[in-house]
Each structure stands twice: as C-alpha cells, then as structure tokens.
Amino acid sequence: EDKVVQSPLSLVVHEGDTVTLNCSYEVTNFRSLLWYKQEKKAPTFLFMLTSSGIEKKSGRLSSILDKKELFSILNITATQTGDSAVYLCALTGTASKLTFGTGTRLQVTL
Amino acid sequence: DTEVTQTPKHLVMGMTNKKSLKCEQHMGHRAMYWYKQKAKKPPELMFVYSYEKLSINESVPSRFSPECPNSSLLNLHLHALQPEDSALYLCASSQDAAGAPPAEQYFGPGTRLTVT
C-alpha cells in the first residue's frame, strides 16, 4: 500500500524565516508527487514533481524530488503570515489515486 | 481557468433524508474524484470516475452513491447517512488517466455536510 509521511506535523515560525517541509514516501509504481496548500477550504495546487533533482519554483516557494531516497522537500523563503496553512504532500501511484500525507501545519507569526 | 465548482456550500440533513452534492468542471478533464475530509485530517479518496465510468470505489458504504451524468458533472447522492458521515466533501478533477502522463488534481471548494 502506498504511504506518505510528512514532517514536522506542525511548525511555528516568525515572519521572514525560511522553512523546509519534508515528505517521504513508499510506493509500488511512482507516477508523481504533488504539494498542496490548504487554508480553510479546498487544497490549492502548488507543484507536481515527476523527475528527480529538478527544482520547481514559484515565487518564494520551491520544491524538489529525490526518487532514489524517496523524499521531497518544500521550501518557503521569507515567510509571510499569509503562508500560514496546512501543507499537504500527495502521491499518485497506479490508477490515478492521490494518497495524502497527514500534512504539516505551518503558522507564521509577526 | 482551473475552477471546479461545488454546490451546495453547506448542507444539514437528517438521517432519513435524501440529498445530492453536485460538482462541475469545464476544463475538459477526463477524471473526476470525490474525497471526504474530516477535521484536521487529510482528504480520503472515495470514488474515481475516468471517462465517465466508475474506476475506483474505495469500499465506500452504499449510502453514498456517485453518478457521472456527463464529462463535466459529478454527483454524490446521499441517503440514510449517519452522524459520523459529517465532513467536508471535496470534488476534484484532472487530465490524468490510465496510460497518460500524470496530471495534477484541482479541487472544488467543498460541501460541508452535517448529519443530525
């Protein structure tokens, strides 16, 4: 069975800090790894990673995948209070199913 | 446009009621999904439709009945629910399909369901 483990479970940082969120996984047939941000309602898509070592970047957020060591990280630089959310890592294996990790709850304080 | 819409936003129903949740996307996506999310938990997959056919049922109780009338619409019919079924129900869609390159899923805003 596919498995996704995220760490830390929660994190409190000060505005301006840089944070690194971790996601490790076990999967039978890897297709992609995705990161989502969830505030009050639906998860919003951040990145999809399919190849090792290629960094995806969007503004202050970036992510990279290591398919040999079976993990991904999500970096957020110069954090802002609007970055406060739950960050979900998810895996697609066979059959287009998304298997989610439990999420990392990030709180950015002033 | 990456919008998935869901109605209603909130629903309160009794255990003997029958109601339906609706989801719509106009992105031409071939796969549509229903997820259930309890508080402080990640979404859990319930059903997957691929090309309007049910491809995955994650052992969901029969009181939940999905329907895909066409490629843009996805319904979830509810009947005789239990209080523990109260949750946020999320619809998602993607271009992903068997044999195709992987594609991201886009989520709707969800329906917050309360069963009394």
Side-chain angles (χ1 to χ4, degrees), chain A residues 10-64:
Chain A
S10 66
L11 192 54
V12 180
V13 301
H14 293 294
E15 205 172 39
D17 288 350
T18 293
V19 298
T20 298
L21 310 183
N22 303 294
C23 175
S24 62
Y25 63 88
E26 297 172 17
V27 65
T28 304
N29 291 305
F30 178 90
R31 298 185 71 231
S32 64
L33 186 142
L34 298 95
W35 285 96
Y36 286 87
K37 176 183 181 182
Q38 187 171 26
E39 296 171 86
K40 295 206 166 135
K41 286 272 181 99
T44 53
F45 171 74
L46 296 175
F47 299 112
M48 183 174 74
L49 304 155
T50 56
S51 301
S52 276
I54 299 174
E55 186 183 51
K56 293 272 182 105
K57 197 169 170 65
S58 175
R60 296 176 294 102
L61 277 67
S62 63
S63 183
I64 198 160

Side-chain angles (χ1 to χ4, degrees), chain A residues 6 30-34 36 38 40-50 86 88-89 92-103 105, chain B residues 9-10 31 33 35 37 40-45 48 55-56 58 88 90 94 96-110 112:
Chain A
Q6 291 186 246
F30 178 90
R31 298 185 71 231
S32 64
L33 186 142
L34 298 95
Y36 286 87
Q38 187 171 26
K40 295 206 166 135
K41 286 272 181 99
T44 53
F45 171 74
L46 296 175
F47 299 112
M48 183 174 74
L49 304 155
T50 56
V86 174
L88 294 163
C89 175
T92 54
T94 53
S96 308
K97 290 175 56 171
L98 264 185
T99 300
F100 283 91
T102 51
R105 186 173 297 275
Chain B
K9 290 183 181 176
H10 300 275
Y33 311 78
Y35 290 85
Q37 187 175 25
K40 298 194 177 181
K41 297 286 187 183
E44 293 178 5
L45 182 67
V48 179
S55 59
I56 296 176
E58 290 286 280
L88 180 68
L90 293 163
S94 81
D96 207 353
E104 59 271 26
Q105 290 185 21
Y106 292 97
F107 284 82
R112 190 159 298 282

